[in-house]
Amino acid sequence: MEALKDKLESSFIVFENELNGHAQTPVHQKRRAAMQRFEDMGFPTKRDEEWKYTSLKPILKHDYRLFPNEENSVDFSQIKKYFLNDVDAYKLVFIDGVYSSWLSETTHERFDVCTFSSMLNKFSDVANEYFGQALPEYEALSSLNTAFAREGAFIRIKKSQAADKPIQVLFFTTEHGQEVMTQPRNLILLEENAEATITERHQSLSDKPVLTNSATEIFVERHARLCYHKIQNDNGQASLIDNTSIRQKGESSVTLGTYSFGNRFIRNNLNFFLDEEHCESHLDGITIGDDQQLIDHHTLVDHKVPHCYSNELYKGIYDDKAHGVFNGKVMVHPHAQKTNAFQQNNNVLLTDKASVDTKPQLEIYADDVACSHGCTIGQLDDQALFYLMTRGIARREAQALLLYAFANDGLRNVKLPELRKKLNRMIAKKLNVNLDFEL
Amino acid sequence: MLKINNLHASVEGTEILRGVNLEVKPGEVHAIMGPNGSGKSTLSSVIAGREDYEITQGNIQFEKEDLLDLGPDERAQKGIFLSFQYPVEIPGVTVTNFLKTSINELRKARGEEPLPANKLLKKMREKMGLLDMDKSFLSRSLNEGFSGGEKKRNEIFQMAMLEPKLGILDETDSGLDIDALRVVAKGVNTLRTKDNAIILITHYQRLLDHIEPDYVHVLSQGKIVKSGNKELALELEEHGYDWLKEPAV
Ligand SMILES: Nc1ncnc2c1ncn2[C@@H]1O[C@H](COP(=O)(O)OP(=O)(O)OP(=O)(O)O)[C@@H](O)[C@H]1O
Ligand SMILES: [Mg+2]
């Protein structure tokens, strides 16, 4: 851990030197402050309350290369399967942290779908106003990302515009003969009454361990509507730390779905800050872990003002020795009367060795609110399994049918048919069956 | 078709079936009656392949093949169907998706291609018509929130869809009103052919007015203590089971 920290500190100096004239910009001042915070806090350990179930040690022991020096090219045919099929979409594709224009499809016409770096160059007003304004400073890992923030997606949907196509953001890491760490940085801005659907995916094309420490800041202005879906289905060597923070203004609505099936390790730090009244926030998740996977969801919904609605539903299925964590914090501040906050985390364990730590954390300081939470950990229902099997359905398929039925309301806010289909197929594949679920 | 020899089954060390013998031939309808707790549902579950019961003695053959080594799914694939006394609620699985999976798994086991969606829907509509069921059931979660009678009707609907060789109906008549009973009986009767067989487990003569059995058996304390023709059912209706308990002289 210390070795990696040292390495990051020295490469920050190298990074600064490369900036030449840009080292004095407000953006870079924020990076420098973030680096300082990271240096002070260091990598989280199990002594941190927020990290007591999850150790970063096995992830951080590798000697990651921070900036791959040789550029690998990638053919579309190699990565086609990671895109949504049969749908016209804007695409932002990054290979080893570098923007790939020939694989991407961007626009500046009625709104902006381009890169974080071009935002820094072209729209310094946006950078100065929004960069670093959503991610909390107490997070060591998002601070680390902020320190190195230079490339990723920039999406700005302008006032009263609706993105005419879904937007796919994809980050690929290629084979470099050694471990690689990347830190993508995204900024999403929906202006008043704007609308968009965005998917995000990180995919390693390497057999070596890969660590992605991603950070995304999302600003949703009044009356704007955002659907954002994270597909976490990377290979068994890949680790992902996803830091995402969302700020919502009045009457806006955000759905954020997290679909975690792959990776050796996943940690999601997802924060919703509801800054004005009548916001609506939906947090959905389906997690299916097997083998030795560790998948950790930490969420925060921060109700600062009255009359907001949040609804969180996370479903987890754990097989083999997989381990899951769900820590859902809901803060209702003293002024936030008439808050409606619901949270539900349901888990199924398929073996004795699989486990899940689930911790709802409701802190309610207002009295006129409707809040509820529930968490369950159970096994598959033997009676139901027998019933299905007496209809000729083999055990594996019967089990998959029940698990799918258990998990699928996690897809309730996925409106894009192509994405639904893709997620359904991923679930079937993960459950090791070939069932055509939707008729 | 079905041959049960000296079947003993126990659960957690308690013997529930204590030497059941029964032979069912193609085209026959057998009624099994008997007091609560006598082992009727246990017998039907054991035939269908429930694993919670330990078979300590005896065997079951279906079309000359030993059943006890087969899982419930394989038995269904051989043509055995159990209509549950208490059908299980399965939230999130629609009746349509369930039947589609079931039918196609059965077809796969027979080496057939999956049934095209339009044919499947047509067949479903036809069978639902036969059983006087509303097609809104198709998109509902399996048995979830169904009334007692609706669950039973749904069991017979499944039987009609799956066309088994041997149907075991465990108290399908309980909880049905008179009209529903008539509809269900009609459904069962249309499935009767010379090649398939039915075992009816019931407490009431009234079902047997609609579906006439060839044989009536009384199961008591895990054994078939008396067998006869349909007249036996009338006798039971009149005198109850007590007279059977007295040791034969
Ligand atoms: N899984 C089990 N664990 C313990 N006891 C059981 C189990 N299954 C059945 N039994 C017992 O076995 C006996 C027979 O039960 P079964 O359900 O077969 O009776 P039945 O003849 O179907 O009764 P009914 O007419 O009430 O439906 C009962 O005493 C019951 O409590
Ligand atoms: Mg019974």
Side-chain angles (χ1 to χ4, degrees):
Chain A
M1 273 168 100
E2 283 309 310
L4 184 60
K5 190 174 178 233
D6 290 346
K7 196 167 175 176
L8 285 158
E9 287 176 16
S10 48
S11 67
F12 185 71
I13 297 170
V14 176
F15 172 50
E16 279 201 308
N17 290 339
E18 285 170 4
L19 289 171
N20 300 322
H22 292 285
Q24 296 312 316
T25 60
V27 165
H28 193 66
Q29 297 306 319
K30 285 182 194 165
R31 286 194 191 116
R32 199 175 277 159
M35 192 65 205
Q36 191 57 55
R37 289 199 303 276
F38 173 70
E39 284 180 23
D40 295 345
M41 288 184 273
F43 282 111
T45 67
K46 287 190 114 171
R47 284 191 300 275
D48 291 273
E49 185 59 25
E50 298 297 316
W51 287 85
K52 66 176 180 187
Y53 303 114
T54 300
S55 171
L56 278 172
K57 261 194 200 150
I59 313 303
L60 300 180
K61 66 167 194 240
H62 297 288
D63 182 22
Y64 293 106
R65 179 178 287 192
L66 299 179
F67 302 109
N69 32 16
E70 76 272 29
E71 265 189 43
N72 287 346
S73 68
V74 169
D75 268 355
F76 181 65
S77 62
Q78 259 177 287
I79 54 172
K80 185 170 179 280
K81 61 179 176 194
Y82 302 114
F83 291 83
L84 295 178
N85 312 103
D86 312 318
V87 62
D88 199 12
Y90 296 107
K91 299 178 198 94
L92 288 168
V93 180
F94 301 86
I95 310 287
D96 297 324
V98 178
Y99 173 61
S100 166
S101 60
W102 68 93
L103 293 169
S104 299
E105 191 182 328
T106 60
T107 183
H108 282 298
E109 235 163 82
R110 288 180 296 125
F111 43 86
D112 302 298
V113 176
C114 63
T115 63
F116 188 84
S117 59
S118 69
M119 180 273 296
L120 292 183
N121 287 330
K122 281 193 229 160
F123 313 118
S124 57
D125 53 328
V126 175
N128 295 341
E129 189 175 344
Y130 292 100
F131 174 63
Q133 296 308 303
L135 289 161
E137 296 194 342
Y138 56 77
E139 289 181 349
L141 293 163
S142 70
S143 296
L144 174 63
N145 178 290
T146 300
F148 287 91
R150 61 170 170 188
E151 193 55 299
F154 172 64
I155 298 165
R156 172 170 59 174
I157 312 296
K158 292 186 183 149
K159 192 171 167 179
S160 297
Q161 294 285 349
D164 53 335
K165 304 188 263 187
I167 302 162
Q168 301 185 63
V169 184
L170 292 110
F171 298 91
F172 294 98
T173 311
T174 63
E175 179 66 61
H176 290 276
Q178 81 170 85
E179 300 91 330
V180 173
M181 174 178 177
T182 62
Q183 303 205 71
R185 175 66 167 225
N186 307 312
L187 200 158
I188 318 288
L189 173 55
L190 265 68
E191 295 184 355
E192 246 181 81
N193 199 30
E195 190 176 330
T197 297
I198 300 172
T199 64
E200 176 190 340
R201 189 164 181 177
H202 302 268
Q203 185 65 44
S204 164
L205 306 172
S206 163
D207 300 331
K208 294 272 179 313
V210 157
L211 171 60
T212 304
N213 179 39
S214 169
T216 304
E217 295 188 289
I218 301 176
F219 301 89
V220 183
E221 306 286 313
R222 285 192 186 158
H223 294 283
R225 298 162 304 278
L226 173 67
C227 289
Y228 198 105
H229 303 286
K230 292 177 181 285
I231 302 170
Q232 304 181 334
N233 193 25
D234 210 342
N235 73 32
Q237 291 292 324
S239 298
L240 173 66
I241 300 165
D242 181 307
N243 310 279
T244 296
S245 282
I246 297 148
R247 300 209 87 99
Q248 283 186 247
K249 291 272 172 68
E251 324 254 339
S252 65
S253 143
V254 174
T255 291
L256 196 137
T258 306
Y259 305 103
S260 316
F261 311 126
N263 296 64
R264 164 77 183 79
F265 173 99
I266 298 175
R267 164 70 176 228
N268 285 296
N269 294 318
L270 175 61
N271 305 311
F272 273 76
F273 299 104
L274 312 182
D275 293 334
E276 291 182 2
E277 296 188 19
H278 298 287
C279 290
E280 205 177 301
S281 312
H282 299 268
L283 295 77
D284 296 328
I286 300 178
T287 304
I288 309 177
D290 55 19
D291 202 6
Q292 307 231 30
Q293 282 181 270
L294 168 54
I295 301 172
D296 177 340
H297 300 287
H298 268 64
T299 65
L300 164 69
V301 183
D302 197 25
H303 285 270
K304 280 201 268 288
V305 296
H307 294 291
C308 289
Y309 171 90
S310 67
N311 194 331
E312 181 166 18
L313 177 68
Y314 273 69
K315 297 276 183 139
I317 297 168
Y318 300 93
D319 200 353
D320 304 326
K321 293 180 174 172
H323 180 54
V325 178
F326 174 81
N327 188 120
K329 195 177 205 171
V330 177
M331 273 288 268
V332 181
H333 293 260
H335 296 300
Q337 300 296 359
K338 307 279 181 197
T339 289
N340 283 301
F342 305 104
Q343 183 187 82
Q344 197 56 239
N345 172 234
N346 308 113
N347 302 285
V348 172
L349 302 180
L350 297 176
T351 67
D352 295 345
K353 299 241 164 66
S355 61
V356 62
D357 289 298
T358 169
K359 185 176 164 204
Q361 220 181 325
L362 271 65
E363 296 185 21
I364 300 168
Y365 301 103
D367 46 21
D368 187 13
V369 298
C371 297
S372 75
H373 72 89
C375 55
T376 59
I377 302 174
Q379 272 99 37
L380 268 192
D381 178 357
D382 275 345
Q383 294 243 34
L385 207 55
F386 176 61
Y387 187 77
L388 293 178
M389 287 177 76
T390 63
R391 289 353 181 203
I393 304 172
R395 181 177 296 276
R396 198 162 53 121
E397 274 77 15
Q399 185 164 321
L401 202 57
L402 293 174
L403 291 173
Y404 179 77
F406 161 77
N408 88 357
D409 45 352
L411 298 177
R412 60 191 177 169
N413 291 308
V414 181
K415 300 288 188 287
L416 192 66
E418 294 80 8
L419 179 61
R420 266 195 98 86
K421 212 185 258 174
K422 186 143 204 124
L423 290 169
N424 273 325
R425 236 180 277 133
M426 277 181 194
I427 293 171
K429 190 157 181 227
K430 183 76 186 185
L431 297 176
N432 206 8
V433 288
N434 188 8
L435 288 181
D436 186 6
F437 288 116
E438 277 181 323
L439 193 82
Chain B
M1 176 182 272
L2 181 76
K3 220 170 171 175
I4 301 176
N5 299 309
N6 189 31
L7 186 71
H8 290 251
S10 43
V11 64
E12 285 154 21
T14 315
E15 192 166 58
I16 296 167
L17 298 182
R18 306 168 180 199
V20 174
N21 293 292
L22 181 69
E23 182 168 3
V24 179
K25 297 202 176 86
E28 292 178 349
V29 174
H30 290 243
I32 298 180
M33 305 179 81
N36 294 133
S38 57
K40 302 181 297 298
S41 295
T42 303
L43 178 62
S44 56
S45 298
V46 168
I47 299 172
R50 189 161 192 129
E51 277 147 20
D52 305 347
Y53 302 97
E54 197 194 343
I55 310 301
T56 50
Q57 265 189 71
N59 61 61
I60 308 178
Q61 289 189 337
F62 185 70
E63 297 187 319
K64 303 210 162 59
E65 200 179 338
D66 204 336
L67 265 196
L68 293 179
D69 298 332
L70 303 180
D73 49 332
E74 294 164 305
R75 297 186 199 195
Q77 290 158 9
K78 299 260 175 253
I80 295 176
F81 179 91
L82 170 61
S83 166
F84 281 62
Q85 182 175 3
Y86 304 108
V88 185
E89 299 199 4
I90 305 191
V93 178
T94 63
V95 172
T96 306
N97 274 348
F98 162 67
L99 273 174
K100 184 189 176 194
T101 310
S102 168
I103 283 184
N104 287 335
E105 288 288 303
L106 291 174
R107 291 175 71 93
K108 193 165 82 188
R110 291 196 297 261
E112 297 169 11
E113 290 294 306
L115 196 64
N118 58 342
K119 287 211 173 129
L120 179 70
L121 283 170
K122 188 164 164 259
K123 188 167 176 179
M124 288 199 278
R125 265 189 235 118
E126 180 191 310
K127 302 295 183 190
M128 291 189 103
L130 179 70
L131 291 162
D132 234 349
M133 282 171 79
D134 194 283
K135 64 179 186 315
S136 66
F137 279 104
L138 289 177
S139 52
R140 285 177 62 179
S141 280
L142 186 56
N143 293 324
E144 192 185 30
F146 286 25
S147 76
E150 287 166 350
K151 283 182 184 162
K152 297 301 176 72
R153 222 183 267 223
N154 186 36
E155 293 290 287
I156 300 306
F157 169 53
Q158 291 173 37
M159 182 161 111
M161 289 296 294
L162 303 183
E163 297 169 336
K165 288 181 189 156
L166 173 66
I168 306 166
L169 276 56
D170 190 357
E171 295 200 26
T172 302
D173 53 332
S174 304
L176 289 182
D177 63 42
I178 296 168
D179 291 338
L181 185 73
R182 213 171 283 135
V183 170
V184 164
K186 190 179 83 186
V188 173
N189 282 326
T190 50
L191 298 175
R192 280 179 77 171
T193 67
K194 64 179 184 4
D195 298 320
N196 58 25
I198 289 167
I199 298 175
L200 292 174
I201 294 171
T202 182
H203 288 291
Y204 307 105
Q205 163 62 30
R206 60 171 199 170
L207 178 69
L208 306 181
D209 289 340
H210 296 282
I211 310 172
E212 202 172 293
D214 300 300
Y215 300 94
V216 175
H217 311 276
V218 179
L219 190 71
S220 177
Q221 295 181 335
K223 265 188 185 160
I224 291 182
V225 294
K226 193 161 180 70
S227 296
N229 57 17
K230 60 183 180 187
E231 311 301 326
L232 177 57
L234 292 169
E235 237 171 298
L236 292 169
E237 182 102 327
E238 205 164 318
H239 304 295
Y241 294 111
D242 278 353
W243 61 281
L244 286 171
K245 282 191 188 143
E246 278 151 45
V249 231

